[in-house]
Every structure is written in C-alpha cells, then in structure tokens.
Amino acid sequence: MARLLVVEDEARLRAYLKRTLEAEGHVVDSAGSGPDAVRRLREGEFDLVVLDLMLPGFDGFEVMQRAFDRRPDQRVLVLSAVMDVATRVRCLQIGAVDFLGKPFATAELVERIRTRLRASPTSVSQRWLHVGEVTLDLERQALSLDGREVPLSHREFMLLGHLMRRAGEVCSRRELLASIWGYADDLGSNVVDATVRRIRSKVPRPVIETVRNVGYAFSAG
C-alpha cells in the first residue's frame, strides 16, 4: 500500500482515478489545481504523484519544480494529453519518473505505478557522497569542489550521483537514460549529453570523462 496524490483538474477523471487506485489498495488524496497540489504536498508525504500538466492556478511544470525543491526524491508520473516530444523531454528533465499520455489504458497506468513504486528513490539518508576530492551534498543537491559549493538541478544531481557511485566504471547513455529518466529510448532528444554539458559548465575542472561511442565515467581524482 502506498500513499498517492492525484492532481487532475477534470473532476470526473479525478474521481475515477481516485476510485481505481484505492481499489488497488492505495491511500489516495487528490487536488484539482496547481496551488491545491502544492498545498497538499506541503502538508503530507506521498510515495508518488500522478500529475496532469494543464492545471488552473499554475501548471504541472511549476508543481513539479516546487515538489522537487521540497523533496528531491519525490516520484512524479505525468499523465497528460500534451504528448509532443518536447513536452515529454521537459518533464523528464525536470524530474518526472514516467510519462503516460491521455487517453490511457487503466491497466497500463496501474502497472506503471506499481513499477515506479517498486523502484527505490535516490537515497538521501546519507548526507554526503565522497569520491576523491569531490563531495556531493545529498540533502542540498549541491557539489562541493575546492571549497566551493556548486548548485545542481534535480537531473544534474541524479546523474552525477549515479556516476560517482559507479566511479571507475563506464556508464552507457542507455543505462543513464533508464536509471535517471526511467526510459529505454532517447525520446528524440539527447537529454543525457545535454545534462552532462550543463554539469561541465558549472564545474571548474573536469569530473566527467566522455568514453567515445559508449557513455561517461566519473574521473575526478
């Protein structure tokens, strides 16, 4: 049993999702607007959020940003009729663990939720991750290097943490996409390479090595 938050502005669909997920044994709260969703996220802890993008007040992108600011490991499954590649990629870059388009098959939604709940979120119980001279602050989502704190976005933090935990090994682009974004294909956009470029632009010396035609490796000494 998990505690879920359904964020959907269409009342009949919101009620249907709530009934369906409660029938699966989950405890389900719901919200019909962006501000209502953020309020509920402030008041309670949720194992997963099922989130529409087109919401009154402010949209699902803003809800995700505020959710991750409060809790970096919050799991969000986007359920939206807006299904173009750019929107899907943007959701994944912000931090969503999955994206399902509308109209959807109920059985697929239920199974995707089961899958995402089984996956362990990034652990933040340990405050620091140390590799060589590089330290990752798992609570503040920041990189500490040469006595300087470098703030990271949620995806930058997740990707760098993955590489640091696998220091000395080569991580393929496919592995990183599956682990950090939850997808096995590239969705028409090279989000892994783009995230690596952003990390490199923030760090004064190389910490990520490109392994040609394969992927990346953490290389800080």
Side-chain angles (χ1 to χ4, degrees), residues 67-137:
F68 295 135
D69 286 346
R70 178 180 179 276
R71 180 181 163 188
D73 66 341
Q74 176 65 67
R75 284 174 281 203
V76 176
L77 185 154
V78 175
L79 185 65
S80 177
V82 184
M83 295 185 291
D84 60 278
V85 170
T87 298
R88 293 168 65 195
V89 169
R90 183 182 175 192
C91 289
L92 297 174
Q93 288 176 327
I94 292 173
V97 297
D98 207 343
F99 189 111
L100 183 61
K102 297 177 182 176
F104 60 92
T106 301
E108 181 180 5
L109 174 63
V110 168
E111 187 55 39
R112 284 178 182 247
I113 289 173
R114 285 180 185 150
T115 299
R116 295 309 173 191
L117 289 173
R118 284 196 299 265
S120 298
T122 300
S123 173
V124 293
S125 59
Q126 175 188 345
R127 174 68 188 271
W128 309 99
L129 176 60
H130 302 280
V131 180
E133 298 178 3
V134 178
T135 298
L136 194 62
D137 186 332

Side-chain angles (χ1 to χ4, degrees), residues 122-145 152 156-167 218 220-221:
T122 300
S123 173
V124 293
S125 59
Q126 175 188 345
R127 174 68 188 271
W128 309 99
L129 176 60
H130 302 280
V131 180
E133 298 178 3
V134 178
T135 298
L136 194 62
D137 186 332
L138 302 181
E139 290 185 8
R140 294 172 58 84
Q141 292 198 33
L143 171 70
S144 179
L145 183 64
L152 301 170
E156 292 162 1
F157 163 76
M158 297 281 284
L159 189 148
L160 186 58
H162 185 100
L163 292 174
M164 289 178 67
R165 290 182 179 92
R166 296 277 304 278
F218 187 79

Side-chain angles (χ1 to χ4, degrees), residues 4-205:
L4 309 180
L5 175 64
V6 172
V7 185
E8 167 60 56
D9 67 326
E10 204 282 299
R12 291 180 63 184
L13 178 55
R14 184 169 68 247
Y16 171 75
L17 290 170
K18 190 173 190 298
R19 288 195 309 270
T20 298
L21 297 174
E22 285 176 340
E24 291 293 315
H26 302 302
V27 176
V28 184
D29 288 348
S30 62
S33 69
D36 189 21
V38 169
R39 178 178 61 81
R40 291 180 182 275
L41 286 165
R42 282 200 305 264
E43 293 173 350
E45 297 291 327
F46 296 93
D47 298 296
L48 185 138
V49 179
V50 179
L51 176 67
D52 188 19
L53 293 178
M54 307 304 292
L55 299 169
F58 47 76
D59 63 23
F61 297 112
E62 181 69 18
V63 173
M64 278 192 284
Q65 287 289 176
R66 297 193 187 197
F68 295 135
D69 286 346
R70 178 180 179 276
R71 180 181 163 188
D73 66 341
Q74 176 65 67
R75 284 174 281 203
V76 176
L77 185 154
V78 175
L79 185 65
S80 177
V82 184
M83 295 185 291
D84 60 278
V85 170
T87 298
R88 293 168 65 195
V89 169
R90 183 182 175 192
C91 289
L92 297 174
Q93 288 176 327
I94 292 173
V97 297
D98 207 343
F99 189 111
L100 183 61
K102 297 177 182 176
F104 60 92
T106 301
E108 181 180 5
L109 174 63
V110 168
E111 187 55 39
R112 284 178 182 247
I113 289 173
R114 285 180 185 150
T115 299
R116 295 309 173 191
L117 289 173
R118 284 196 299 265
S120 298
T122 300
S123 173
V124 293
S125 59
Q126 175 188 345
R127 174 68 188 271
W128 309 99
L129 176 60
H130 302 280
V131 180
E133 298 178 3
V134 178
T135 298
L136 194 62
D137 186 332
L138 302 181
E139 290 185 8
R140 294 172 58 84
Q141 292 198 33
L143 171 70
S144 179
L145 183 64
D146 300 328
R148 185 170 70 94
E149 183 178 277
V150 181
L152 301 170
S153 73
H154 179 69
R155 288 302 185 191
E156 292 162 1
F157 163 76
M158 297 281 284
L159 189 148
L160 186 58
H162 185 100
L163 292 174
M164 289 178 67
R165 290 182 179 92
R166 296 277 304 278
E169 302 177 31
V170 178
C171 299
S172 70
R173 289 176 176 83
R174 181 176 293 275
E175 172 193 337
L176 293 168
L177 188 63
S179 176
I180 309 305
W181 283 267
Y183 275 79
D185 59 50
D186 63 9
L187 301 179
S189 178
N190 206 336
V191 293
V192 174
D193 295 337
T195 305
V196 169
R197 285 196 297 271
R198 289 197 301 272
I199 294 172
R200 286 172 170 167
S201 72
K202 296 180 177 183
V203 178
R205 56 186 172 85

